[in-house]
Amino acid sequence: MARTKEISGDLRKRVVDAHQAGKGYKTISKEFGLHQSTVRQIVYKWRKFKTIVTLPRSGRPTKITPRARRVIVGEVTKDPRVTSKQLKASLTLANVHVHESTIRRTLNNNGVHGRVARRKPLLSKKNIAAHLQFAKDHVDKPEGYWKNVLWTDETKIELFGLNEKHYVWREENTAFQHKNLIPSVKHGGGSIMVWACFAASGPGRLAFIDGTMNSELYQRILKENVRTSVHELNLKRRWVMQQDNDPKHTSRSTKEWLKKNKVNVLEWPSQSPDLNPIEMLWKDLKRAVNVRKPTNIPELKLFCMEEWDKIPPSWCAGTIKSYRKCLIAVIAANGGHTRY
């Protein structure tokens, strides 16, 4: 149990006397019921300052008792979204009156810091199982297999900046635990819709989606961009196209179109954007476009095209080269979210 009172001067003198008598820290610790580090500190102070008296402190002692500290850490562990204001109110009910900054400092000293919560799709047990199975089925695929995949996706890009940030209390290396995430729904907002593809050899075509996206429009985008991209990216004969399980992608008419045009599709688990390396390209694209601060839709489209074309093929190649690490991370997370 942590001490709440200072060690008496008499006890400190007896510790120093025992040390002068030739006793070791371990022996003194057992004799007086003190921790070895406490004995060491008492002796160190006596050696350096020739005193056992408490020296002036740089500030007043904290009002946070060990029990209050455990309560605070326990509450943020159960609910990482709790605010310091709510924690203050909780402590006030326990007759502990402290400032919010004291609460934040206490959490920081215990390895818990306020961080921006990552946005990840909400995963059901079925999604997690499919996520894990895909990783296990493909983790041993050779690198050459992934180099022959055309990765595709759609995203929304906002005219005025990135999404609002949300903070949670969490420890280091816990960013992707379920309780520390902000669930997001795909295509939750934005100004323009964009479809694009890429492969290990570089970025492919980028197309803007004007109007409501349906199976017919999706098939038109594929017709106008996929074969051209495959040719420009020099994919081999047995290339495979990746797409997610959006209803427009899996509708009967789209499946018939893919079969008629002899497009082999990679079987894909639902709610798995972290398995698609194009997400990294989207992130970089949105950041680059946001830095340029477009003021209208035509500018937004122009900047998107320009920044997409700037993506170096070497970056794409590196992303695919490390894809096996992504699959290993999914297996390590038992099908849950990863940093990818």
Side-chain angles (χ1 to χ4, degrees), residues 243-261:
Q243 62 175 9
D244 62 30
N245 293 321
D246 187 286
K248 296 176 284 293
H249 304 170
T250 58
S251 67
R252 180 181 298 178
S253 64
T254 298
K255 287 181 178 179
E256 290 175 352
W257 187 93
L258 292 168
K259 184 177 180 180
K260 180 181 178 182
N261 288 272

Side-chain angles (χ1 to χ4, degrees), residues 132-180:
L132 179 60
Q133 192 60 50
F134 177 89
K136 288 181 176 179
D137 290 344
H138 294 81
V139 70
D140 293 323
K141 292 281 188 182
E143 185 179 327
Y145 174 84
W146 301 114
K147 286 183 177 179
N148 213 33
V149 174
L150 183 72
W151 304 89
T152 73
D153 194 24
E154 303 99 43
T155 192
K156 283 189 177 181
I157 301 180
E158 298 176 349
L159 181 59
F160 299 111
L162 305 175
N163 288 328
E164 181 184 0
K165 296 179 179 179
H166 295 270
Y167 287 85
V168 293
W169 293 106
R170 65 170 176 82
E171 297 177 346
E172 190 176 0
N173 298 323
T174 62
F176 296 97
Q177 290 184 6
H178 178 74
K179 64 183 181 180
N180 294 331

Side-chain angles (χ1 to χ4, degrees), residues 129-316:
H131 208 200
L132 179 60
Q133 192 60 50
F134 177 89
K136 288 181 176 179
D137 290 344
H138 294 81
V139 70
D140 293 323
K141 292 281 188 182
E143 185 179 327
Y145 174 84
W146 301 114
K147 286 183 177 179
N148 213 33
V149 174
L150 183 72
W151 304 89
T152 73
D153 194 24
E154 303 99 43
T155 192
K156 283 189 177 181
I157 301 180
E158 298 176 349
L159 181 59
F160 299 111
L162 305 175
N163 288 328
E164 181 184 0
K165 296 179 179 179
H166 295 270
Y167 287 85
V168 293
W169 293 106
R170 65 170 176 82
E171 297 177 346
E172 190 176 0
N173 298 323
T174 62
F176 296 97
Q177 290 184 6
H178 178 74
K179 64 183 181 180
N180 294 331
L181 298 171
I182 300 295
S184 63
V185 180
K186 193 174 183 182
H187 307 327
S191 298
I192 60 172
M193 278 287 292
V194 177
W195 176 95
C197 62
F198 93 104
S201 50
R205 291 295 186 93
L206 181 143
F208 298 108
I209 302 169
D210 297 319
T212 303
M213 182 69 152
N214 53 32
S215 297
E216 183 180 352
L217 179 54
Y218 180 63
Q219 291 161 32
R220 189 190 313 157
I221 289 173
L222 296 182
K223 180 180 179 181
E224 294 173 354
N225 297 281
V226 168
R227 290 288 180 183
T228 304
S229 295
V230 168
H231 177 72
E232 292 175 348
L233 296 172
N234 296 313
L235 297 188
K236 297 180 180 179
R237 185 176 180 182
R238 295 185 178 275
W239 63 276
V240 177
M241 188 183 82
Q242 177 277 336
Q243 62 175 9
D244 62 30
N245 293 321
D246 187 286
K248 296 176 284 293
H249 304 170
T250 58
S251 67
R252 180 181 298 178
S253 64
T254 298
K255 287 181 178 179
E256 290 175 352
W257 187 93
L258 292 168
K259 184 177 180 180
K260 180 181 178 182
N261 288 272
K262 298 180 180 180
V263 177
N264 294 319
V265 178
L266 180 65
E267 187 175 349
W268 195 253
S270 298
Q271 294 290 83
S272 302
D274 54 348
L275 285 174
N276 191 348
I278 202 174
E279 292 293 333
M280 298 183 186
L281 273 71
W282 287 144
K283 184 177 180 181
D284 287 349
L285 175 66
K286 292 176 181 179
R287 184 185 294 115
V289 170
N290 183 58
V291 167
R292 297 181 66 177
K293 301 188 183 302
T295 57
N296 52 54
I297 296 300
E299 263 193 357
L300 180 61
K301 289 184 175 182
L302 175 62
F303 294 167
C304 284
M305 291 293 294
E306 291 178 347
E307 296 302 327
W308 181 259
D309 290 338
K310 290 179 184 177
I311 297 174
S314 59
W315 195 98
C316 299

Side-chain angles (χ1 to χ4, degrees), residues 15-237:
V15 168
V16 171
D17 290 341
H19 173 71
Q20 288 181 304
K23 295 182 180 180
Y25 293 148
K26 187 174 183 179
T27 301
I28 298 174
S29 172
K30 289 182 178 180
E31 183 177 340
F32 296 108
L34 299 172
H35 197 279
Q36 284 189 52
S37 63
T38 304
V39 174
R40 191 177 295 108
Q41 288 171 356
I42 293 173
V43 174
Y44 170 78
K45 183 189 293 184
W46 174 76
R47 282 178 173 175
K48 185 172 182 179
F49 302 105
K50 300 302 180 182
T51 182
I52 57 172
V53 178
T54 300
L55 298 175
R57 294 190 177 101
S58 59
R60 62 183 179 184
T62 179
K63 292 183 179 180
I64 298 287
T65 64
R67 182 176 180 277
R69 182 169 58 250
R70 289 194 298 271
V71 169
I72 293 171
V73 174
E75 287 202 29
V76 300
T77 299
K78 288 188 296 183
D79 181 12
R81 302 184 195 182
V82 66
T83 65
S84 53
K85 185 176 182 179
Q86 291 171 325
L87 290 171
K88 178 182 178 180
S90 179
L91 289 177
T92 301
L93 293 176
N95 205 30
V96 177
H97 303 280
V98 294
H99 195 271
E100 292 173 31
S101 61
T102 302
I103 294 173
R104 290 192 291 271
R105 186 166 54 251
T106 299
L107 289 170
N108 294 164
N109 291 338
N110 282 269
V112 183
H113 303 271
R115 308 291 191 193
V116 178
R118 311 295 175 86
R119 289 183 175 272
K120 287 284 186 175
L122 188 63
L123 293 179
S124 66
K125 290 182 179 179
K126 185 178 179 180
N127 295 147
I128 292 173
H131 208 200
L132 179 60
Q133 192 60 50
F134 177 89
K136 288 181 176 179
D137 290 344
H138 294 81
V139 70
D140 293 323
K141 292 281 188 182
E143 185 179 327
Y145 174 84
W146 301 114
K147 286 183 177 179
N148 213 33
V149 174
L150 183 72
W151 304 89
T152 73
D153 194 24
E154 303 99 43
T155 192
K156 283 189 177 181
I157 301 180
E158 298 176 349
L159 181 59
F160 299 111
L162 305 175
N163 288 328
E164 181 184 0
K165 296 179 179 179
H166 295 270
Y167 287 85
V168 293
W169 293 106
R170 65 170 176 82
E171 297 177 346
E172 190 176 0
N173 298 323
T174 62
F176 296 97
Q177 290 184 6
H178 178 74
K179 64 183 181 180
N180 294 331
L181 298 171
I182 300 295
S184 63
V185 180
K186 193 174 183 182
H187 307 327
S191 298
I192 60 172
M193 278 287 292
V194 177
W195 176 95
C197 62
F198 93 104
S201 50
R205 291 295 186 93
L206 181 143
F208 298 108
I209 302 169
D210 297 319
T212 303
M213 182 69 152
N214 53 32
S215 297
E216 183 180 352
L217 179 54
Y218 180 63
Q219 291 161 32
R220 189 190 313 157
I221 289 173
L222 296 182
K223 180 180 179 181
E224 294 173 354
N225 297 281
V226 168
R227 290 288 180 183
T228 304
S229 295
V230 168
H231 177 72
E232 292 175 348
L233 296 172
N234 296 313
L235 297 188
K236 297 180 180 179
R237 185 176 180 182

